[in-house]
Amino acid sequence: MQLDQATRRHLADTALAVVIGALVVTAAAFHDSTTTVDYALITLGSLTLAAYRTAPRAVLAITTTTTTAYVVHAHPGPVSALPVLAAVHTAARVGHRAVAASASAVFLAGYMATGPTKQEIVERALLLAGWFLCALVTGLADRNWQAYLRQTEQRALEAERTREEAALRRAGEERLRIARELHDSLTHSISIVKLQAGVAVHLARKRGEEVPPALLAIQEAGGEAMRELRATLEVLRTDEPTGTPALLVERARAAGLAVDLKVSGEERALTATVDRAAYRIVQEALTNAARHAGPAKVTVGLDYTPGELTIRVDDNGIAQPSRPPTPGIGLTGMRERVTALGGTLNAGPRAEGGFSVRAELPLGIPEDAV
């Protein structure tokens, strides 16, 4: 049976604790003054290291206490410091620098009281001080390296997302351009052909003449071409909004984001372009809040007035006016959508903390079919 990642980590941590304990026990076995109590202290202090991922400060406290008690009682060599060194390193690795330094000082103070001569005390204390300094520095270096890797991964994901958004936006713009070209060029020409064929059929029937089959075929083909062209243009003009702002809020809640929806004014049908823009603005604002706001509460407001729809998405996250974010593809895309509709967009950190997106979209009558 294949073990999951958490189980493998736990087994590796336990194995490391056992190895450290075995080294200290082996060194203790060569000291005649080692007692059963000393072995118990070594075992407890070493095996506690297996839990360093879940409780690094508790592990540091227990290991420092038991190991210091052992060195004060048995006066062992420098190898006895291994459990405390490991605990100091892991505590510094997760950011508990002050606690790790304090534990190092406690152990060194206890160890300095065990030397039989002043020279030996100084030598051992300096040696162990160097070890503990290395443990602190390597722990901090490892923490910074892990943070750097996370930031690099985040940037890569963000770059990939912005590339996809840019590609989708370019594809959407190209679809709209093609739809406009088809509408302007083909619709007019096909309408004229269909109209002329219809007039010819009408005149022939009015004069009592037999309508040529080719003329009827032209009239029928023109009507069919118009129907197919309308369906094609409808597909090209679709920007794939798969729901409403209310549905986006429900999806965000299901994903774990604390978000509320407030609707004011008389809700009414919107034109396709305004409806599409409103959906994308709320979608992008919620995405940014989930990615950058931290454990924040988000409020989505939709305010309908006779001539305008105001969209406001506020969060109480970590954004600060002193550190304004660099506008990315998402904010740029929102601004382009709003500007294309003749509206206004304001997006930035709030004075009281958090981020706010406010879009004002002018409303019009629903669009007719092509």
Side-chain angles (χ1 to χ4, degrees):
M1 182 179 65
Q2 188 174 6
L3 301 176
D4 58 20
Q5 186 176 7
T7 303
R8 290 197 299 269
R9 284 182 176 177
H10 182 68
L11 291 176
D13 296 342
T14 302
L16 178 62
V18 170
V19 170
I20 291 175
L23 291 173
V24 180
V25 167
T26 302
F30 290 93
H31 289 269
D32 297 334
S33 59
T34 306
T35 64
T36 303
V37 174
D38 297 324
Y39 285 117
L41 291 172
I42 294 171
T43 302
L44 177 60
S46 300
L47 294 184
T48 304
L49 293 171
Y52 79 89
R53 292 183 189 272
T54 56
R57 286 186 293 186
V59 168
L60 179 61
I62 294 173
T63 301
T64 302
T65 301
T66 55
T67 308
T68 303
Y70 161 58
V71 299
V72 169
H73 179 261
H75 309 293
V79 176
S80 60
L82 284 178
V84 185
L85 284 169
V88 165
H89 171 80
T90 54
R93 184 172 179 267
V94 295
H96 304 307
R97 292 171 290 183
V99 178
S102 299
S104 302
V106 169
F107 180 81
L108 286 172
Y111 193 86
M112 287 175 65
T114 65
T117 65
K118 183 179 293 187
Q119 181 180 359
E120 190 171 350
I121 292 175
V122 174
E123 290 177 353
R124 290 186 176 184
L126 290 176
L127 175 63
L128 289 179
W131 287 6
F132 279 106
L133 181 60
C134 289
L136 281 168
V137 171
T138 54
L140 293 175
D142 186 53
R143 180 170 182 264
N144 293 335
W145 175 249
Q146 294 298 327
Y148 170 76
L149 290 179
R150 286 193 296 270
Q151 291 176 359
T152 302
E153 182 179 0
Q154 186 72 18
R155 290 194 191 101
L157 292 174
E158 182 70 17
E160 182 66 25
R161 187 176 74 91
T162 53
R163 280 196 297 269
E164 291 176 357
E165 289 177 350
L168 289 174
R169 185 171 293 106
R170 286 194 296 269
E173 292 171 352
E174 183 64 15
R175 287 200 307 271
L176 292 176
R177 188 190 67 79
I178 294 172
R180 286 194 297 268
E181 292 295 330
L182 289 175
H183 179 274
D184 294 342
S185 59
L186 294 183
T187 303
H188 177 73
S189 300
I190 295 175
S191 297
I192 294 298
V193 170
K194 184 174 179 295
L195 178 63
Q196 294 291 342
V199 170
V201 169
H202 174 73
L203 292 176
R205 287 173 177 169
K206 187 176 180 179
R207 290 193 296 265
E209 300 174 357
E210 182 180 357
V211 179
L215 196 59
L216 292 174
I218 292 173
Q219 185 182 32
E220 183 179 354
E224 182 65 23
M226 284 295 295
R227 286 190 293 272
E228 291 184 358
L229 182 58
R230 286 194 183 99
T232 301
L233 293 179
E234 188 66 28
V235 172
L236 288 173
R237 285 179 173 173
T238 299
D239 197 16
E240 305 180 52
T242 56
T244 63
L247 181 59
L248 288 173
V249 169
E250 291 300 324
R251 289 175 181 170
R253 287 175 184 162
L257 187 65
V259 55
D260 289 331
L261 175 64
K262 297 179 180 179
V263 181
S264 58
E266 185 179 352
E267 191 171 356
R268 60 191 179 93
L270 306 175
T271 63
T273 52
V274 174
D275 188 49
R276 198 155 46 234
Y279 180 91
R280 294 305 188 194
I281 290 168
V282 174
Q283 183 184 48
E284 182 63 29
L286 289 176
T287 300
N288 287 340
R291 292 173 62 86
H292 305 299
K297 182 175 178 59
V298 184
T299 301
V300 178
L302 301 176
D303 181 23
Y304 290 86
T305 62
E308 190 175 72
L309 169 64
T310 300
I311 304 169
R312 182 155 187 162
V313 183
D314 298 334
D315 67 68
N316 58 354
I318 60 176
Q320 296 293 333
S322 59
R323 301 192 304 273
T326 302
I329 295 296
L331 285 177
T332 303
M334 280 196 287
R335 194 174 301 280
E336 289 174 350
R337 287 180 184 275
V338 173
T339 303
L341 296 175
T344 59
L345 176 76
N346 293 302
R350 304 191 302 167
E352 61 271 31
F355 198 83
S356 176
V357 175
R358 179 185 175 91
E360 297 175 353
L361 304 177
L363 301 180
I365 60 173
E367 295 176 347
D368 295 327
V370 177

